[in-house]
Amino acid sequence: MDSADSAREATEGEAPAEGEAEAEAPTPAGARDLLDASTDAAAIVSADGVVVGWTRGAQALLGRPASEVVGRSAAGLTAMARDPARVAAVAARCRAGMGWSGVIGLRHLDGRTVEVDLRVSASFRIGDEECFLLSAREQSRPWAVGRSVLDGFLTRSPVGMAVMDPGLRYVWLNDTLERFGGVPREQRLGRRLSELLPGLQAVTIEGLMRKVLETGAPITDYEYLGWSWADPHRQRAYSTSFFPLVGVDDSVTGVCYMVQDVTERWNARQLLALVNEAGTRVGTTLDVMRTAQELADFAVPRFADFVIVDLLEPVLSTEGHGTWLTDAGPAPARPEMRRAGMSSVREGCPEAVARIGDRVDFLPPPHDANLLIDGEPILIPVLDPADRLWVAEQPERAESIRAFGLHSLISVPMRARNTALGLATFVRSVNPVSFRSDDVLLARELVARAALCVDNARRYTREHTAAVTLQRSLLPHALAGGSALEVASSYLPADPTDGVGGDWFDVIPLSGARVGLVVGDVVGHGIAAAAAMGRLRTAVQTLADMEMPPDELLAHLDDLVLRLSAERSDDATDRQSATAFLGATCLYVVYDPVSRRCSMARAGHPPPVVVSPDGQVSFPEPPAGPPLGLGGMAFEATEIELAEHSLIGLYTDGLIEGADRDLERGMSRLGEVLARSDTRLADLAELCTSAVRQLVPVPQPDDIALLLARTHALDADRVVSWEVPAHPAAVADVRARATRQVEAWGLGELAMTSELIVSELVTNAVRYATPPIRLRLLYDARLTCEVADASSTAPRLRHARITDEGGRGLFLVAQLAHRWGARYTADGKIIWAEQEIP
């Protein structure tokens, strides 16, 4: 059997049995699934153009049985001129594995031409022969539409349609357009749109139609707002497209336009735009009252003619939580609220029966306070001032409804984060259209956004108030520099929108009539920064009481900040608070009125400003040192001498940053402001306030602190000192001298206690310390006795037993003196004791 016979046997199969011919007949084209390739005609053609396979689908398509086709040339089946070049190109493409498809004409057995979609597969082999699989499907015939069907479609289409002549007069329109406009067909035909509906942007629409007549180019989807006689009191949105009508000679013979009512789509788009705009207009600040007023201002007149926003009394309070939880059970029958926002199209809001800040209890009858907790928005499409509930429960408002024509109302509870906040009410009077259910959705969305902003403002206000209260409680309430310094301070909190900062300052009395001045700035804002500031201020006071020099004090403070940072970062549940101890800056200064020497050290803080009595300004700069919290770097101290009546100022960077953020220029401006006043006579409190006001005229994002001190020197006749020989016999002589000096100062009441204190301190130094030994008496705000020696051994307060012969010296000193202590110097140490002057 040759290959042609094999292909024929494979494709033809067995002949149908008797009675099965009807079942095997091809399915009519109208019922055939056009996407079902199993019914396609198929044939196999060899590389030399001979048909080697023929299917029943091919027989049904061309009416030719396999016996007449297989083994013959496929060229005889085509109804088109021979084109060898094209056939060769198709074969080459199929040999490359890509296949080919196109439209060709084939000859039916009855002589007619059948147009088919032909697909040729990639080449394959049957035995040693190269072959191609061809599949074809007859092209579907175009659907013929009857005139009656087309007329019915045009007439009853949901899209309004009309045909205008070159003069823009109606020549035809469908039922939908007649219904849209509310103008009967017979009144439209032969007339122009501007003659029928003058208020419907007729001039603009006719201008668009003229443009189509002139250019022949269509204009699609032109949207506009308008009205119609069918619904003259409600604005609607339409989308219109204009197309030219072209004659046989390609001339434009008229215009066809189609109109759709897109009011719902327009309203949805406007709703989205309005809500988005509200997001930028409402909640611009963290102020509860301002946010409520912004909601009222935004909604008038965009949405309503009169808007009131009433907030619950606890929401406006800075104490406690200030909220009603929506799951906390029923609320009181009449809520305590305050008018927080109000706006009207009428100047002065004459419709309102309460003013901003007044107490109100308005709820639309018959609702109670549970509306605020779990109620839905209230829609009253038609307000009736004669309604008995309004007359009984809200008589003043019923009269306002009657007087100003308030005719429609929406009230929406304000809730956010499971918290009831208040009630927003929208009313229409000038706008004649009543509120509908769609308007409730918009009102709900506007109020929801505003409620979130109000809740944010409420929470921020509560936290800010707590932080300010904490900060104020941690700052010194009174500053005292003794006779060594006159001091004054000025503190200006940051702009509330930026939060409370961590600036602090302090004046610390030290032994020997000295005074410590400190100013610092904690990184960050809020309660955490205020708390950190308090801890650092307390630590500085403690370290200063231990008589540490400035550089050592900053080193210990740096260790403290490092330890606090480590504690916070180790607590996985409190990682957000870790930033409170990431760092701080500090400047510590110690002034000695006896020597008029001033020692200082700083940790990343701006240097102090010094104004001499003759008005010269300087900025002594001790080595800057790293900010607190970095660790691993040393701090260095610097010492300068100040003339009496010099002015020294300590400040934070907020005072000198300014709008240009130039710290050097800010320091220069500060020096100029302070130098304008006589440092001897200027009132420090007024100078402080004036300097801050001039340098910072507007709120700044950072706290501002300024500490000013005027120096004084201790008079020479208030200080006496004696060298003490390292012999027990010298104690009596020094004791006598000290007693006479105390009496000479007029402090006879302290002579006996001074004698005992001098005796004990000098005796201890002679017995246990290393010479040279020196006694000094200072008559300042207190009477101070100091004994200096060259030993670095610290004294120890002992509690002697009854049988002990000694060990009671320092205990006795501690009982007689107001306070006592020890401080170390470069040459040794000083033991001191202070007594209060009667």
Side-chain angles (χ1 to χ4, degrees):
M1 182 184 297
D2 58 19
S3 60
D5 294 335
S6 300
R8 185 183 304 112
E9 180 177 325
T11 55
E12 289 185 4
E14 296 180 0
E18 186 178 353
E20 296 181 356
E22 185 176 353
E24 293 292 327
T27 305
R32 185 181 304 153
D33 183 0
L34 297 178
L35 299 178
D36 185 7
S38 65
T39 61
D40 288 358
I44 299 176
V45 179
S46 66
D48 54 3
V50 176
V51 178
V52 297
W54 192 254
T55 66
R56 292 176 181 173
Q59 178 178 337
L61 177 65
L62 299 182
R64 301 175 184 273
S67 59
E68 297 182 7
V69 178
V70 175
R72 299 180 182 179
S73 173
L77 301 176
T78 61
M80 53 192 301
R82 295 177 180 272
D83 190 348
R86 183 183 182 190
V87 172
V90 169
R93 180 181 177 87
C94 295
R95 289 190 179 100
M98 291 182 288
W100 177 89
S101 62
V103 179
I104 67 170
L106 299 179
R107 294 184 183 277
H108 195 274
L109 182 63
D110 58 11
R112 60 187 173 89
T113 300
V114 180
E115 296 289 336
V116 300
D117 292 319
L118 181 67
R119 296 183 295 277
V120 183
S121 73
S123 65
F124 60 92
R125 307 194 74 82
I126 298 178
D128 295 333
E129 189 170 7
E130 183 184 26
C131 297
F132 302 89
L133 174 64
L134 282 65
S135 60
R137 173 180 294 189
E138 184 176 4
Q139 286 192 314
S140 58
R141 296 178 182 177
W143 176 58
V145 182
R147 177 62 181 269
S148 61
V149 176
L150 184 59
D151 289 346
F153 165 73
L154 294 175
T155 302
R156 292 184 293 273
S157 170
V159 179
M161 291 183 284
V163 175
M164 320 292 283
D165 66 13
L168 302 182
R169 295 178 177 83
Y170 283 97
V171 296
W172 177 87
L173 69 154
N174 68 352
D175 295 347
T176 306
L177 185 62
E178 183 179 19
R179 185 173 65 255
F180 280 170
V183 179
R185 181 182 278 104
E186 58 271 14
Q187 294 183 22
R188 284 184 183 253
L189 297 177
R191 303 179 69 181
R192 292 169 53 179
L193 180 65
S194 57
E195 298 171 353
L196 298 168
L197 301 171
L200 192 65
Q201 295 193 17
V203 175
T204 303
I205 294 173
E206 288 185 348
L208 295 174
M209 289 192 284
R210 288 194 187 94
K211 184 176 180 180
V212 172
L213 288 173
E214 293 170 1
T215 64
I219 297 175
T220 60
D221 203 21
Y222 171 72
E223 291 188 356
Y224 61 94
L225 294 176
W227 58 275
S228 70
W229 288 115
D231 189 6
H233 298 295
R234 187 177 300 278
Q235 184 174 255
R236 306 195 70 83
Y238 300 98
S239 174
T240 306
S241 297
F242 308 91
F243 304 93
L245 297 176
V246 182
V248 178
D249 57 352
D250 292 334
S251 62
V252 178
T253 60
V255 177
C256 173
Y257 78 82
M258 296 187 295
V259 183
Q260 277 186 293
D261 187 331
V262 293
T263 303
E264 291 188 4
R265 184 179 76 187
W266 179 282
N267 289 341
R269 195 162 60 223
Q270 293 302 109
L271 170 63
L272 181 60
L274 196 62
V275 170
N276 286 338
E277 186 181 1
T280 62
R281 299 289 187 88
V282 180
T284 59
T285 66
L286 289 171
D287 182 88
V288 173
M289 297 289 285
R290 177 88 175 268
T291 301
Q293 186 60 47
E294 286 175 344
L295 171 61
D297 291 338
F298 177 80
V300 175
R302 291 177 177 87
F303 180 64
D305 301 321
F306 175 51
V307 177
I308 56 176
V309 180
D310 298 332
L311 297 180
L312 290 167
E313 188 77 44
V315 174
L316 300 173
S317 173
T318 58
E319 299 178 0
H321 292 286
T323 61
W324 284 1
L325 296 179
T326 59
D327 56 1
R334 306 304 299 178
E336 292 186 2
M337 297 190 291
R338 285 191 182 271
R339 181 64 44 85
M342 180 171 62
S343 184
S344 171
V345 293
R346 298 178 176 89
E347 186 176 356
C349 300
E351 309 97 322
V353 299
R355 300 287 105 183
I356 299 294
D358 290 352
R359 290 181 179 272
V360 293
D361 60 355
F362 169 68
L363 290 173
H367 300 277
D368 58 19
N370 286 313
L371 168 69
L372 304 179
I373 295 180
D374 54 13
E376 290 296 312
I378 299 170
L379 169 63
I380 305 179
V382 179
L383 274 175
D384 182 6
D387 186 285
R388 61 181 182 84
L389 287 176
W390 281 89
V391 173
E393 296 185 21
Q394 304 284 345
E396 290 182 280
R397 292 181 174 87
E399 180 59 31
S400 178
I401 293 172
R402 179 182 298 106
F404 294 98
L406 311 181
H407 65 83
S408 191
L409 174 146
I410 296 176
S411 285
V412 184
M414 296 187 72
R415 291 190 291 264
R417 301 185 181 97
N418 196 36
T419 301
L421 302 172
L423 185 72
T425 301
F426 307 86
V427 185
R428 281 182 178 171
S429 57
V430 176
N431 186 343
V433 180
S434 297
F435 286 121
R436 300 181 303 170
S437 56
D438 291 346
D439 296 318
V440 176
L441 298 176
L442 174 57
R444 185 200 292 268
E445 187 63 29
L446 291 178
V447 172
R449 294 204 172 205
L452 188 61
C453 295
V454 167
D455 193 50
N456 288 340
R458 177 188 65 83
R459 290 166 178 258
Y460 170 79
T461 300
R462 192 177 71 236
E463 180 174 345
H464 183 265
T465 302
V468 169
T469 303
L470 174 63
Q471 186 184 50
R472 295 291 188 185
S473 67
L474 294 175
L475 288 173
H477 300 287
L479 300 176
S483 59
L485 296 173
E486 293 178 51
V487 292
S489 65
S490 180
Y491 178 79
L492 186 63
D495 189 327
T497 59
D498 295 292
V500 174
D503 293 8
W504 94 92
F505 56 89
D506 209 348
V507 178
I508 306 171
L510 301 174
S511 63
R514 298 171 307 134
V515 178
L517 304 174
V518 62
V519 65
D521 185 0
V522 175
V523 174
H525 292 83
I527 291 180
M533 173 268 287
R535 299 181 75 170
L536 293 184
R537 176 171 174 256
T538 301
V540 169
Q541 290 177 335
T542 302
L543 295 173
D545 282 343
M546 295 172 65
E547 301 287 353
M548 288 188 177
D551 51 344
E552 289 187 23
L553 183 144
L554 292 182
H556 282 79
L557 199 62
D558 184 48
D559 292 339
L560 172 65
V561 173
L562 284 172
R563 186 167 66 254
L564 293 176
S565 298
E567 291 175 0
R568 291 285 184 170
S569 60
D570 289 342
D571 186 357
T573 63
D574 196 18
R575 296 196 185 280
Q576 291 183 344
S577 300
T579 56
F581 292 99
L582 285 180
T585 63
C586 184
L587 170 64
Y588 182 58
V589 175
V590 175
Y591 174 68
D592 187 345
V594 178
S595 63
R596 292 185 288 106
R597 304 290 294 178
C598 187
S599 60
M600 62 189 73
R602 58 184 179 135
H605 202 84
V609 56
V610 175
V611 182
S612 64
D614 59 1
Q616 297 295 318
V617 178
S618 63
F619 290 88
E621 295 197 19
L628 300 174
L630 296 183
M633 300 178 68
F635 299 94
E636 297 182 35
T638 296
E639 190 172 80
I640 61 174
E641 183 175 337
L642 298 178
E644 189 174 10
H645 305 302
S646 294
L647 196 65
I648 182 169
L650 284 68
Y651 51 90
T652 55
D653 54 6
L655 182 66
I656 60 173
E657 281 183 338
D660 53 9
R661 314 292 291 182
D662 189 331
L663 296 184
E664 291 188 3
R665 291 187 60 185
M667 292 166 61
S668 299
R669 289 192 293 262
L670 173 60
E672 293 172 3
V673 170
L674 296 179
R676 293 172 190 165
S677 302
D678 187 343
T679 60
R680 295 172 178 266
L681 304 176
D683 183 275
L684 287 189
E686 292 182 4
L687 182 58
C688 246
T689 304
S690 174
V692 172
R693 187 184 303 115
Q694 292 180 58
L695 294 172
V696 190
V698 296
Q700 296 293 322
D702 196 6
D703 287 2
I704 293 165
L706 174 62
L707 177 62
L708 292 181
R710 183 186 289 124
T711 64
H712 296 290
L714 196 61
D715 293 340
D717 59 357
R718 295 284 187 108
V719 182
V720 294
S721 62
W722 300 278
E723 294 289 341
V724 180
H727 193 279
V731 175
D733 179 57
V734 172
R735 182 173 56 219
R737 292 184 184 183
T739 303
R740 288 193 297 270
Q741 182 61 55
V742 171
E743 292 175 344
W745 280 335
L747 305 176
E749 296 180 22
L750 300 180
M752 181 178 295
T753 55
S754 299
E755 182 178 9
L756 291 173
I757 291 173
V758 168
S759 177
E760 294 298 334
L761 293 182
V762 172
T763 299
N764 281 345
V766 170
R767 286 183 177 180
Y768 306 112
T770 304
I773 301 171
R774 189 172 188 84
L775 170 66
R776 186 171 74 162
L777 296 181
L778 302 175
Y779 176 22
D780 187 37
R782 294 186 177 93
L783 177 63
T784 304
C785 172
E786 296 181 345
V787 176
D789 61 61
S791 172
S792 59
T793 303
R796 183 167 61 92
L797 180 63
R798 293 174 54 192
H799 295 274
R801 294 171 296 182
I802 297 177
T803 57
D804 290 344
E805 296 183 2
R808 298 178 179 84
L810 285 181
F811 180 79
L812 181 60
V813 170
Q815 298 301 310
L816 297 175
H818 171 68
R819 63 175 189 156
W820 74 280
R823 67 176 182 268
Y824 294 92
T825 66
D827 300 325
K829 68 175 183 297
I830 296 175
I831 310 298
W832 56 268
E834 292 180 351
Q835 298 179 77
E836 292 281 5
I837 297 177

